[in-house]
Amino acid sequence: MKEKIIALIEAALEVPAGTITEDTMIADVEQWDSLAHVMIIGELEEKLGIVIPLEEAVELTGVQDLLQQCSV
């Protein structure tokens, strides 16, 4: 599941495979702005059935936080 989530993030951000890791912070990726963040959350819900409440989504700072919210 972790690999699917990371692949989904990479696709949403349109970055090459292998660019995003568990240790990637949102601030480290130029393409990961607020709009991209919303798109990633939406893709997680649509493609993987993972629901992250908005108030929790805005608190995420990196992939590790996102994976924890997804209970991976």
Side-chain angles (χ1 to χ4, degrees):
M1 180 67 107
K2 187 182 333 181
E3 293 78 18
K4 285 184 182 182
I5 293 169
I6 290 174
L8 185 144
I9 294 168
E10 290 173 334
L13 297 175
E14 298 179 356
V15 297
T19 302
I20 304 296
T21 69
E22 287 183 55
D23 299 320
T24 301
M25 300 301 288
I26 292 172
D28 296 338
V29 183
E30 185 178 333
Q31 296 91 326
W32 201 333
D33 57 15
S34 57
L35 178 59
H37 193 66
V38 170
M39 288 175 41
I40 290 166
I41 301 301
E43 289 285 305
L44 287 170
E45 289 183 14
E46 181 182 320
K47 296 203 168 125
L48 302 177
I50 297 168
V51 177
I52 299 174
L54 181 60
E55 37 307 323
E56 292 175 19
V58 297
E59 300 291 324
L60 303 175
T61 59
V63 175
Q64 195 66 254
D65 289 346
L66 189 59
L67 292 173
Q68 287 175 349
Q69 282 294 321
C70 298
S71 300
V72 176

